[in-house]
Amino acid sequence: MQTFPATQALTGQAGDVDFEDMWATLSSSFHEIHTKNASKLSFEELYRTAYKLVLKKKGEILYDRVKEFEKEWLSTNVRTRIRNLLSASLLASSTGGMGGTTVNEKRAGGERFLKGLKQAWEDHNLCMNMTTDVLMYMKDRVYCLDQRRPSIFKASMGLFRDHILGSKIAEEADNTTISTMLTTVILDQIRMERDGDIIDKNLIRSCIYMLEGLYVADEENESTKLYTNYFEPEFLDASRMFYRAEGDSLLIEADAGTFCKNTKKRINEEQDRCRSTLSPLTAPKIKLVLEQELIKNNIHEVICMEGSGARFMLDNDKIEELQMLYDLESKVDPAKEELKKAVQKRVVELGSEINNAASVPSQAQGPAPAEVNGESAKGEAKAPPVNVQTVAAIKWVDDVLQLKDKYDAIWSRAFDSDQGLQTALTRSFSEFINTFQRSSEFISLFLDENLKKGLKGKTENEVDAVLEKAITLLRYVQDKDMFERYYKKHLCRRLLMGKSLSTEVEKQMISRMKMEVGTHFTQKLEGMFKDMTVSEDLSTNFKNHVARLGDPDPRRVELGINVLTSTVWPLEAIAPSSNTTDEVRPKCIFPPAIERIKQGFENFYAEKHNGRVLDWQANMGTADIRAVFPKVQGREAALNKERKHELNVSTYAMVILLLFNDLPPGESYTFEELRARTNIPQNELTRNLQSLAVAPKTRVLIKEPMSKDVKPTDRFYFNENFHSKFLKIKVGVVTSANKVEGDKERTETEKRNNDTRAGVIEAAVVRIMKQRKKLSHQLLINEVITQLASRFQPDIHMVKKRIESLIEREYLQRLENSSVPTYEYLA
């Protein structure tokens, strides 16, 4: 085929164009295209025909005729086919009823409608693409560009929008349009899928493509798509109503775990629906609907749900469900306030139960069974090594640590190690631990038991784990000065009685405490270890000093001494209280042999430390005595020979026994005589005599009358018939086995601690005022509380009293003319 330039082809034909004839050709061809009979058409001839019309200034008429043709075709052919697809069930649903149809019928009717509409849209697009090819010259080169009118393709899309989607479903119908019906059908299909039915997702996706390709006006703009302006708002509103109803229903019918699983499933379903069925642009919007209707509106009720909520999940270690609960609330509240409240509440409740369980034994103030070397005074039933109160104290710590381990595991596995929830856990543990008045004492007792025997056989890592757990509990304690007081008391006993399992572990614990709470906390503890080291050297030097003197006496007493700095060691706390009302413990009267070596050490010490005074604490020492028991004629073989034993006894017991060396056989001392000769406090004399005369296996003395109680009228004899299969015998002092303080002791401890606090508060006030010179009352109070918060929580009334005391002693003065109460430091 030979082609010619356009100008040459139309030469001499300026007045010969018959528009109607040419339009008849074009319109006939367009009809063939729409009826799918375009195979015989010559698109080149059609193009030339349209080209001639545009070239002869007939473009506007051609443009309008094409639009009119498409409008007529859509109105008479396409619209009718679409209306015929509207079944009775669909028409009923559009008016809010079901028309007595089943779900399957409704789904099938909807799919027929969607398929017909989809086919009409695809046919329209195909036909308009072919038509546009015919009218390409008008679209791309001349008329549309010159007149700034939308292309014929765009115009035809608008015609489809107006005359198909925008048309009524029936002539006699109300304002319900095919577009409205399309939205209703798609929403019905989505509702069916949400209810568990299977739908044709690809079919719906094709219809959504149609809505995304059409615009509210002829001018195309992303914000004016039919999808985002008409369908999407309806979809979101319908989803909002659906999930609001589902949330209400689940709260009534399901448990919390099921609610969380269903919500998580719904979120995944909707995201998947947006990817495969609707538009990805809708995903964040439907996500907000789900978060609002299913999570935010119901999270409080889900967490607090009786029998299955957060409390149930926490108590039964429902990690997966807790994780879902955490994830869901994280979507609507980054702070997770509802979950925080529930976790804090449960931890405090469980902590309070632990506190109450430990308080019951602690409130039992009756005397515990007397105990000597693990045996009852009567020798009938063996008592436990520690009493119920001490067991309760250790159990309290173990229970708190178990609770901590449990919630640490939940925090890391279910809560993604969330820092906000960690703060909530820390706050709740601190709350119930500090509510319990004996927490400081019990934590110190826990460490005492472990440092004495609990760490025996443990590996280095296991030891570190125990120490770290104790430090963890210490972090929660507000009144760390009270813990320090108890820890000093227990450490003092371990060091002086040689009960500590490892000096290295002891120092390691102090090092950990120093890192946690500062050097001020551990200064005296380190001083106690320093005194023990110095005392070892001092004992060795004294022994060498005695050797150099050349004392030939083979019966000379060997002395091991611990010289303790009175301001470092809690001597008043560890010494058993006497029955006397005097503040000063009466000085023990030592036997001459002991007094002689005691004076010798005092002279030796005075030469090295001039001006220091030694105060002997006889109640705290021990002694090893070689005891000889005479042969008893006419008795069993065990007694028919002289017997020698090494007795390990308390210092008081040694003083008592040495008195019997000078007593003729058969003679005795009364209780009062022993008290007068030794000057031992009555209650401690009683305890030591119980050890020596009542305990069956260490009955070195005989008491008349025989009973477990020691009375002032009782008499005591040397027991010549004593025998034991052991050469070395430890005579333990009878104790009440009560390591936990009673109410009276607790009150005394608190009083001593408050006295110490008074000095600390005064020092803080002076330190602050010395730096600031002038300061208002409220600011001073606040700074004192801030500075001392790491050691204890100062009582405001105590702070005020200490300020008043400093004013009386002229460290501070009030400024009279100040508008607010203000103090000035007096240099």
Side-chain angles (χ1 to χ4, degrees), residues 152-166:
I152 199 67
F153 184 86
K154 289 183 179 179
S156 68
M157 296 299 107
L159 292 174
F160 191 91
R161 174 196 66 214
D162 297 336
H163 296 284
I164 299 299
L165 297 183

Side-chain angles (χ1 to χ4, degrees), residues 437-478:
Q437 293 185 345
R438 293 184 177 272
S439 58
S440 297
E441 180 183 7
F442 282 11
I443 294 171
S444 180
L445 271 173
F446 168 79
L447 280 168
D448 185 55
E449 286 295 312
N450 276 284
L451 292 170
K452 284 196 301 186
K453 55 187 177 182
L455 300 179
K456 189 174 183 179
K458 285 186 172 11
T459 65
E460 185 176 344
N461 290 337
E462 289 173 334
V463 170
D464 287 341
V466 172
L467 299 185
E468 184 57 35
K469 286 181 177 180
I471 290 295
T472 299
L473 293 185
L474 180 58
R475 291 192 188 107
Y476 295 130
V477 176
Q478 288 181 348

Side-chain angles (χ1 to χ4, degrees), residues 791-808:
R791 299 184 65 182
F792 60 91
Q793 196 68 29
D795 180 67
I796 294 179
H797 296 292
M798 182 182 289
V799 176
K800 291 179 179 179
K801 286 182 180 179
R802 300 335 305 162
I803 292 173
E804 291 298 328
S805 176
L806 290 171
I807 291 174
E808 291 174 3

Side-chain angles (χ1 to χ4, degrees), residues 194 235-236 239-244 246-247 259 262-274 282-299 328 331-332:
R194 286 170 175 167
F235 168 72
L236 295 176
S239 300
R240 193 172 288 110
M241 294 175 62
F242 176 83
Y243 286 119
R244 185 177 300 160
E246 181 170 271
F259 188 102
N262 181 78
T263 301
K264 183 178 179 181
K265 184 185 74 159
R266 289 300 195 189
I267 291 173
N268 293 333
E269 285 176 354
E270 292 298 336
Q271 295 300 306
D272 194 46
R273 182 173 292 113
C274 289
T282 306
K285 300 174 185 177
I286 190 63
K287 179 173 176 285
L288 291 176
V289 170
L290 282 162
E291 290 173 355
Q292 178 66 39
E293 299 302 332
L294 274 183
I295 305 176
K296 192 170 185 178
N297 291 349
N298 302 309
I299 193 68
L328 291 180
K331 296 178 185 298
V332 297

Side-chain angles (χ1 to χ4, degrees), residues 575-612:
S577 59
S578 64
N579 287 343
T580 179
T581 57
D582 295 333
E583 294 250 345
V584 181
R585 174 177 295 276
K587 293 187 179 297
C588 177
I589 301 174
F590 291 98
I594 304 299
E595 184 64 31
R596 186 165 55 252
I597 194 161
K598 172 175 165 286
Q599 290 294 333
F601 180 81
E602 288 181 353
N603 295 333
F604 169 78
Y605 188 81
E607 291 177 1
K608 295 182 175 294
H609 303 280
N610 187 28
R612 294 188 183 180

